[in-house]
Every structure is written in structure tokens, then in C-alpha cells.
Amino acid sequence: MVQAILFLPLIGAVIAGLFGTKAFKQLGTDDEVYADHAHNAPSVEHSHDQHGYNGPPWPMYLTTGLLCIGAVLSWIIFFGFLQGGHDGEIELLPWITSGSLKAAWSIRLDALTAVMLVVVNTVSALVHVYSLGYMSHDESQPRFFAYLSLFTFAMLALVTANNLIQMFFGWEGVGLASYLLIGFWYTRESANAAAIKAFVVNRVGDFGFALGIFGVFMVYGSVEFPVIFAHAPDAVGKTIHFLGHDWDTLTTLCLLLFMGAMGKSAQFLLHTWLPDAMEGPTPVSALIHAATMVTAGVFLVARLSPLFELAPHAREVVTIVGAITAFFAATVGLVQNDIKRVIAYSTCSQLGYMFVAMGVGAYGVGIFHLFTHAFFKALLFLGAGSVIHAMSGEQDMRKMGGLGPYVRITQAVMLIGTFSLTGVGIPGIGGFAGFHSKDAIIEASYAGGSTFAFALLVIAALCTSFYSWRLAFMTFSGPTRADKEVLDHAHESPPVMLVPLYVLAAGAIIAGFAFQHWFMGEGQAEFWGAAIYRSPDNHILTQMESVPLLVKWSATIAMLAGLGLAWLFYIRDTSLPKALAAVNQPAYQFLLNKWYFDELYDFIFVRPAKWIGRVFWKGGDGAVIDGLGPDGVSAAISGVTAQAVKLQTGYVYHYAFAMLIGVAAIISWFSFGGIHP
């Protein structure tokens, strides 16, 4: 069963990619239309429907059907583990054998894998279904659905891996697929730039991940998880020579591996690619942010919990980075005006929450938030896509307002997503999905002794509530700010786009209290089994039960405060935001420009790299290599030839005169020195 789950998306991607696009081109609607399309590159998503799709529909139905089958099978496996299923390893084929390095292609099936299979396949299947409507007029449908399925396969290869090499294969696969999907509309310069940015920034993190894999193999002599986990304690107290110094072995390995997680999960300092990833179609944003690429880093730390549990200093770094990320992204989200960018920064912030949970040793709590986050974040992104669809491609919330009567269903489901994201609920009783998981992380940060993380997460919760309700109020409430022509065409999305929203809304409501028992409640030990390791000294779940009442209510208080402020600013007195921004212009610009990280990186890395490139190009390649090499030699030969050509005049008397000079020179040589007795 799990083999089918893994390879069904790949089969769909190959068939749709190779044969669907070929059939499309035979219709004569691809190259010529796209050439004209490139000349008039659009600036908004739905202007791509100007030509329409005239190709066969089977590629999108094939890939969608295969993903739906995979999703159903994933839930069957997941419920099997809820009922006490057993871990297993399924070897598919021998893969790499080189000296002592052995890595078979095999599937590691445990509770953690089961959770990720449900998350990845459920969201991906719903995104495929949603895309049947959202991308119905795009002229490159087969290519889009092939990329989506390829993305899903790469993520499945990552989460089912039983060794680090196989995981790295999936890791790079999602990087490739994200590049293809973010830059899907390659006629846009901004889409190409965003795709390259995501690819390059992730290479920085992947470099650390690769070094971590090398280090693990050097220390343990294997890249297979069973071998590494069984011998993990052997490296406790030992040092490794790295960068000219002796460092604690496990701390070094875990930090290098976490560097890879920082890149994929867009953590502070390596976060800059994530907001620009919005250049891809909205379904791509939902898939990246809810179920695939950005969750890979969180999964990595959870999977390697046997190593991280033995490296407390590395976990402290994970906690601090996660807390800073949650706070940073939440503050930037306060002032964003693009509806998709607000949700994107929300993802970045929520990933920070997950890493805080990993850092304090509450791995199950972090994965629980990953699980619930998949439902409400996919719901918010696809809901935003429905709004964009209704607004003919408009994404600026300042040009919306008053859309509620036009898109009642979209408004309702997005409010459910907002309830879940902001953590609406009553401590001790229950609430929406995000309430159960996000609030638990805040409690875990306090119980874990990180006052720093606890404070930043509470502030981030307040900011999350504010920007989430700001989005809801600016989009659906108050007087409209939309152009009359756009508003006249505003309409609800078709049923094929609404059905996935219904399913995700149900998950955003019930996923918290329905599965809390197994993820972090009384049944968590039986459910997780050996999938997640907690040392005997790790009592974080017990400590969470005894935190002060104020800590338990802190997230709820922050949520209510954020809601109240958003209502005051965007419903009660809409002049306040502009007045506050004018009074605090430096702070406003600081947040609006995302803490100036793009400008800082441009100054530190991009400009020097361009300068070095120009030096080697003009000075090295042009002046030295070409100047002394091909260009220099050809110039010298050309000069000599030009002079030699001047000797060939074509006049007979010139040649006769030259011959006489030659004869005179020869006679003179023989007469005065050429012959000796």
C-alpha cells in the first residue's frame, strides 16, 4: 500500500509531463501562443486566461485521481497507527554501495511517516482538485499538474526515507519542484527572479545539511537511520575537528543538519525566499506553505530526535531561532498589503512556533501543530485564491473591502481559517484546531524554561491575531475600495474550487480536539512509539500540565487583544492606521521593508558577487584569457598578415626589383665572407 502512495504521484507526473504536453503542442497552441504571451506578460494571476486552454483534459484528471487515491490510502495507514499499528521497514531496491557506504532505497513506516503521508497527500489532493477550477483557463495545464505531482512525489520520498541520502534526494527534489512551480509563469521577470532566489537561498541551507550528512557518516560509519539511532549515544562527550577547532560532536552535527532545516523551513536569516515564492499560482503557495517544502525542516528535526535529544546546546539554538522567526515574521505581517504575502509571513511565523516545540523537546506537540497548520493554512491560501479569482486577479487588500456579499462561502471558510490560526478557544475546554496545537507550544516554551521564547511567542500570537483579522476586515467588511468594473464581475468560485475549502474547513475545526489525545495526550506514548525519541530526562509533557493559569490563558488574551485592535483600526476608525503610520514612520518603513533584510543581503552578498563577477569577466576572462589567448593571438596574426599583404602589390617591376636585391645580397655574401679556404 505504501509503495503505491509513494509512486502514484510520480507516475502521474511522468505521464502528464511527457505525453500531455506533447499532445498539447501538437494542437499548435503552445509555442506560438506563448511567444505572443511573453510579449505581453501579465501582472496578475488570472490575466493568464486570455488565451484559454484548448488541449486535452486527461492530464489534470489523471494526476488528480492518482493523488486522491494516495490520500485515501494515507488515511487508512494513519488510522491503523491510531489503533496501535506497528513500525516497519520496506526495502524497495539496492541503491548506493561504495566501500563502507551502503544506502538502500527503502521506506521507513512509523507514526511520524503516517502523519506526514496524511498531511502531504491530503493537501496535495485537495490542491489538485482546486486547481481543476483555478487553472482551468491556463494554457499550460499539463505542465502545471505534472509539476504539482512531481512536487508531491519528492516530498513523499523525503518523509518515507530510511537513510539520510534518500532523504537528501527528496530534499533536493522539492527544491527543484519549487523552482519549477514558483517560476511557472516564466514570462514574468518577477517569477523568474523569485524562483532563482528560492533555489539559491536553499542551497545555502543545503550546504550545511550536506556537511551534516558527511559528518554523520564519518562519526557513525552509516547513513541508515536504524544504525545511527542505535549508536547515537556513542558520540556523547566526544569532539570533532571542524574549521580548525575541536567541537562537541553531536552539537556540531545537529547544528549543521539544522542549517538545512532553516533553509527549507524559511527560518530567520534564511527566510527571504518565502514571501517571494508568492509569484507562483496560488495553489502552489498552498502546497508549499501547508504540506510540502516548508514543513520538511520541522520533519527533519523530529525524525532526528535521537540525535537532538543528546545535544541540548543545539536544541537551545533551535529554540532561539524559532522564537525569533515567529516574532519577526509576525511583525512584518502587520503591515503587508498583498493578501498572499500576509498569509506567507503567517506561515513563516507558525514554522517558528514548531521549531520552538522541537527545541524544548516537545516533538509531538510540534508535529501536532504541523498537522493542524496544514488544514487551516491551506484553507487560507486557497480561500485567498478564491478572493483573487473573484477580483479578476487583484491581490492588494487596499483595493478590496466589502466583498462579503459577493463571496459568502469564501468569507465563511476564511473566517474559520482565521479562527483556527489565531487560536480561538477556551483553555481547559477546547476550540479550533490551531488553539489546541499553537497554545500548547506556548505552554511548552514556558515549561521548557525558555522565558525568552515564551515572551516572543505570546507577542507573536497578538500580532497573528491582529494581521489575520486585519486581512478579514480589509477584504470582506466595510465600504468597498474596489474598482466598479472589477466589482461588477465579482462572483463566488465554482463548486470544484469550493469543495476543497469545505474539507479543509472541517479539518480546521475538528483536527485539534479529534487527534490531541494521540499526538500529545494520554495516548501519545503508544501512538508515537519509536518514531519520536524523548530521553528519560525529558518530562516536558508532564511539566506542561502544571504551568500557571496565566500561562494557559496568555495566548487567548493575546488573541482577544489582537482582535480588539484590528476591529478598532479597520472597523471602528479606519483613519487610525494611516495616522499611526505617519507618527511612527521609521518603524512603519522598517516593518514594511521586512526589517531591510533584502537590502542588507543585497549590500553584503549580491553587489560584491556582481562586482567580483564583473572583475573576472572583464579583467580575467576578457582582458587576460581572451586578450592573451584567442583574441591576442588572432590580433597578432592579423597584424602580421596585414603587413605581409602590403608586399604583394601585383606589379612586375616591384617583384623584379626585389629579385635583383636578393641576387645582389647573395653575391655580396659569397664575395666578402661566405667562402673561406
Side-chain angles (χ1 to χ4, degrees), residues 339-377:
I339 189 171
K340 288 172 63 177
R341 283 183 179 267
V342 175
I343 306 173
Y345 277 106
S346 169
T347 298
C348 190
S349 181
Q350 297 305 305
L351 289 166
Y353 277 85
M354 298 175 204
F355 277 109
V356 169
M358 299 293 160
V360 298
Y363 305 101
V365 179
I367 294 299
F368 186 35
H369 192 47
L370 185 154
F371 180 79
T372 61
H373 177 265
F375 290 101
F376 62 75
K377 189 50 58 70

Side-chain angles (χ1 to χ4, degrees), residues 248-327:
D248 180 76
T249 298
L250 284 171
T251 300
T252 303
L253 295 180
C254 288
L255 288 179
L256 288 173
L257 295 168
F258 176 61
M259 184 175 174
M262 288 178 64
K264 275 290 180 289
S265 294
Q267 291 301 281
F268 189 68
L269 300 180
L270 294 180
H271 65 276
T272 54
W273 67 270
L274 190 61
D276 292 350
M278 297 302 97
E279 288 294 334
T282 297
V284 173
S285 303
L287 191 59
I288 290 178
H289 286 248
T292 53
M293 188 166 172
V294 298
T295 62
V298 180
F299 169 79
L300 171 67
V301 178
R303 174 61 79 202
L304 299 178
S305 56
L307 295 180
F308 279 87
E309 273 292 89
L310 300 173
H313 295 301
R315 287 198 289 113
E316 288 176 5
V317 173
V318 174
T319 303
I320 293 171
V321 171
I324 294 175
T325 303
F327 172 76

